[in-house]
């Protein structure tokens, strides 16, 4: 359900909790007038100057609720494209509650998550891709995700798609034009030329879709799985890796970070440990379920740390276990594998007969004693994907990826039709399908369901 | 140590964590110029308009770090009285880190807690009492604490003190004038009149000092202790009281509260449970230490819940325990006492022979089954102090209370000197002492140590 866009809305736009200042953000045609009912400033005239901050007071009756700064933006020169107001009050939960209650009494309602951005989209201030980038920007945690979101917000991806769309429209028009003259058996364009156009469009779409692998990594970190038999020290290793990271906090006072959620940042890269909750619980998990889950985790990851007990002297046993992993982990051959031998503190001699597995990266550590963890980190860094979207467009959103995959499939079908010299109307209908998917991406074509699902994931106040 | 006030400073002024928007607040003579080095806006001229928001971009070299709104305040028309800038950026920790790094590179340093308010004080924008009220306002959690802070911020307390101070100066001058003519044995003022002036000043100061009891309650909640033998259900009761409160959250989305810290809000009142951490741990605590701590807690509280096991049939035993509490709890007679009989779910018959203790409020509950907790809450509400500072000035700060107590003592000594017809210079020196204490309160007299300790408790960014 799309919320009623004629209503005047408000939300706290700053992070939750106590702070020196908090911002209440308001949008809607009558938002200025309604605020005048509770805000007084000696400098405020009937029509406030655009983007000018006014010092004044929020009143409930004759009681001063807070001294605040208010700023008014006139439509369409605002984030949403509507009349907007920001009230900058003291960041106390009690004061925010009081002012929100006054706003409700004045006829405002609380904004849905993402409703400001949805209004911005519907008022033509930005396309869907740019709106999604705003949210990505707020959530960006490192250089890669930030740069990617910033580029998308600035419209790089939108521009490329609009070029693609233009080519597609031209091409579709050619097919449909021929259709009109079908009975006269006229052929307007060279069929080979049209086929090669479709193929080159498909290649371009595929390239975008393939960038999702990098995009996903940039957005969420490189997926890493730690697997191994019980008691080889999986959770100790994880805790050491995370624990050290947690100690590295920015040295600038006032800096705060969200909980790191089992992601570690090394250099410019983020590594995301898959299902570490499971790892931590692994002692309690029933054996067979645990093993199965390990295989699944590993199958979803880019990097796998295969953890072994360094006190195991029988190299053949280790090789057998690796063979076992090979069979059970999907796409094992495409993964980056690091063999980690833990518990060197207890090791008397290295496992024998390991030469054959030297095709893999190998590192001996003692997680317990923090020995050789730096070397392990270096191994992680040697097996990264990229960390920079570079000059190319990088897709980081599952929705975009799926639309591109669907486009690619429809383009493939068009190409097949041309090759088989099937009727033009079929080919044209596939090209129309591609146009539909691409229109969905930018929001040129949209429906309530899509919009609700996209904006519903935004944070409040954005 | 007072930080170097010539430096340009910055701090995040909004609450920590991820939000749609965050504010970086900057202050210092060159803060505008320095921001121009990293912020570009097509509308920004060399001298920005006062309090006008400019839409633009933060750059690191040629890379756009964020799209932001910046607003510039010209000295002295700003919070600190200095040139100030606010940068409103996307509320991502990564982006904030990046911009703060740019600010550091541009020559800003991170502000100390309360440094903005300290600068405001030192630049004469507000007195100490008002500065302290700003922090109280940010931390205010209910109607009483909010109203009190707002009044103090608006200068009610300062005004009263400055009237007192004026009277004191006049009075002191009279004594010192007489001193100059001492050898001529002239008496300028009627001694009885002067004595009555000193006494009435003392009464006024005492009245302010006494208001601290209410002020402390308004600020922190009414102190309540729950005491009783092991296993009568103290922590169960506490958890039930807190647990229910925790479920009552504001129904407006986006509202957030800090952790309740074992304070419950009933109606317009807050009840603060003293040392509930201890209560929760009580099972593990060594018996004798636990009991001693209970007595201390109870001695500090306004209200005491004496918890008994309702299955105890021997009323005499209960009376003996009450006698025990009377002996061990300081000022027991001045406390509000509620006898709470818990575990009515297990009770067969009420304890016998309780008539004699009916001088106390009595309530039978089952904390476990949530029975009669509403009645208990009503008993709490029947034993409150005030919840409204009303028209009078209410002191809520230990520092203020102590200065007033010291003033009262010095005034008492002056009065005593006058009564005993001791030399005027001694009397005058006591009056000077009062002037000193009152000057300290408003900040007319201040030193580094006082300022550091006051502002060091402020939140960052204020």
């Amino acid at each position: 359900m799309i919320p009623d866009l004629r209503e005047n809305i408000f939300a706290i736009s700053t992070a939750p909790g106590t702070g020196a200042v908090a911002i209440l953000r308001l949008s809607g045609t009558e938002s200025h007038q309604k605020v005048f009912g509770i805000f007084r400033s000696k400098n405020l005239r009937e029509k406030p100057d655009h983007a000018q901050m006014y010092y004044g007071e929020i009143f409930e009756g004759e009681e001063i609720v807070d001294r605040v700064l208010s700023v008014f933006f006139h439509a369409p020169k605002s984030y949403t494209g509507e009349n907007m107001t920001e009230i900058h009050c003291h960041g106390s939960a009690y004061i925010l509650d009081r002012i929100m209650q006054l706003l409700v009494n004045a006829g405002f309602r609380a904004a849905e998550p993402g409703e400001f951005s949805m209004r911005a989209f519907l008022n033509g201030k930005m396309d869907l891709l740019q709106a999604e980038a705003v949210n990505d920007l707020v959530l960006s945690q490192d250089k890669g995700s930030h740069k990617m979101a910033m580029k998308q917000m600035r419209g790089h991806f939108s521009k490329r798609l609009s070029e693609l769309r233009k080519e597609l429209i031209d091409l579709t028009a050619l097919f449909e034009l021929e259709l009109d003259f079908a009975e006269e058996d006229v052929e307007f364009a060279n069929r080979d030329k049209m086929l090669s156009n479709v193929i080159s469009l498909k290649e371009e779409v595929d390239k975008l879709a393939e960038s999702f692998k990098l995009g996903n990594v940039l957005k969420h970190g490189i997926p890493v799985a730690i697997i191994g038999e019980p008691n080889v020290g999986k959770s100790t290793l994880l805790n050491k890796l995370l624990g050290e990271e947690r100690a590295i906090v920015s040295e600038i006072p006032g800096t705060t970070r969200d909980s790191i959620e089992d992601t570690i940042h090394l250099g410019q890269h983020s590594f995301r440990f898959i299902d570490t909750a499971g790892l931590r619980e692994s002692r309690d998990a029933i054996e067979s379920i645990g093993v199965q889950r390990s295989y699944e985790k590993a199958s979803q990851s880019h990097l796998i740390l295969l953890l072994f007990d360094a006190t195991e002297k029988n190299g053949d046993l280790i090789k057998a276990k690796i063979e076992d992993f090979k069979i059970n982990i999907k796409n094992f051959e495409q993964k980056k594998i690091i063999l980690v031998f833990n518990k060197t503190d207890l090791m008397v001699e290295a496992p024998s007969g390991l030469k054959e597995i030297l095709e893999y990266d190998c590192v001996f550590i003692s997680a317990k004693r923090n020995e050789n963890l730096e070397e392990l980190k270096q191994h992680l860094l040697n097996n990264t994907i990229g960390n920079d979207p570079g000059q190319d467009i990088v897709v980081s959103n599952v929705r975009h990826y799926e639309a591109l995959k669907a486009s690619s499939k429809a383009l493939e079908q068009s190409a097949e039709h041309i090759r088989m010299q099937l009727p033009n109307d079929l080919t044209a209908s596939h090209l129309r399908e591609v146009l539909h998917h691409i229109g969905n991406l930018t929001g040129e074509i949209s429906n309530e369901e899509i919009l609700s699902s996209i904006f519903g994931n935004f944070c409040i106040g954005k």
Side-chain angles (χ1 to χ4, degrees), chain A residues 1-13:
Chain A
M1 269 282 295
I2 287 193
D4 189 339
L5 299 170
R6 289 161 306 180
E7 292 177 329
N8 296 281
I9 56 171
F10 71 89
I12 301 175
S13 287

Side-chain angles (χ1 to χ4, degrees), chain A residues 118-130:
Chain A
M118 186 192 273
R119 290 183 178 211
F121 163 68
L122 291 170
N123 290 323
K125 299 291 287 188
M126 52 177 76
D127 66 29
L128 264 190
L129 295 170
Q130 290 174 307

Side-chain angles (χ1 to χ4, degrees), chain A residues 272-412:
Chain A
R272 173 170 51 97
F273 288 88
I274 297 184
D275 188 22
T276 52
L279 256 186
R280 292 222 169 88
E281 294 159 6
S282 61
R283 282 179 208 174
D284 304 328
I286 297 161
E287 194 64 8
S288 60
I289 297 178
V291 170
Q292 194 49 44
R293 198 158 60 181
S294 287
Y295 292 148
E296 279 166 24
K297 285 195 292 230
S299 302
Q300 295 155 25
S301 65
H302 166 74
L303 244 162
I304 303 175
L305 305 187
L306 296 183
L307 205 58
F308 296 101
D309 190 326
T311 62
E312 171 60 63
K313 289 178 195 135
N314 186 347
D316 287 336
L317 222 89
I318 290 169
K319 279 184 274 182
K321 280 177 195 166
I322 294 176
E323 288 307 314
D324 216 39
F325 289 138
K326 267 191 192 171
I327 294 163
N328 285 293
I329 296 171
K330 258 189 271 178
N331 303 320
F332 187 87
E333 302 301 336
Q334 290 158 43
K335 309 289 179 191
K336 305 277 186 178
I337 309 291
I338 302 173
L339 305 188
V340 184
F341 293 88
N342 189 24
K343 308 193 187 177
T344 52
D345 47 311
L346 304 174
M347 183 177 75
V348 181
E349 52 178 330
S352 64
L354 282 183
K355 274 184 193 156
E356 292 82 352
I357 52 173
L358 284 188
E359 55 176 304
Y360 300 111
D361 278 6
C362 238
V363 54
F364 284 77
I365 64 165
S366 164
K368 193 171 148 197
R369 296 204 183 159
N370 278 321
E371 279 168 18
N372 254 3
L373 290 182
E374 285 311 312
E375 195 185 328
L376 174 58
K377 287 179 188 171
Q378 197 49 57
H379 278 283
L380 288 173
L381 285 172
N382 293 342
N383 287 286
T384 55
I385 306 174
N387 77 321
D388 192 326
Q391 289 313 304
D392 288 332
I393 290 156
V394 174
V395 173
S396 64
N397 188 309
V398 180
R399 183 180 84 83
H400 306 169
Y401 174 69
E402 284 171 355
L404 290 167
K405 288 302 267 187
S407 300
S408 170
K409 196 177 155 202
L411 281 166
E412 177 57 42

Side-chain angles (χ1 to χ4, degrees), chain A residues 201-214:
Chain A
L201 277 172
K202 178 175 180 297
E203 280 168 359
E204 189 143 6
V205 166
D206 284 343
K207 200 177 142 205
L208 285 171
E210 272 158 31
S211 75
F212 178 64
K213 195 180 165 195
L214 173 59

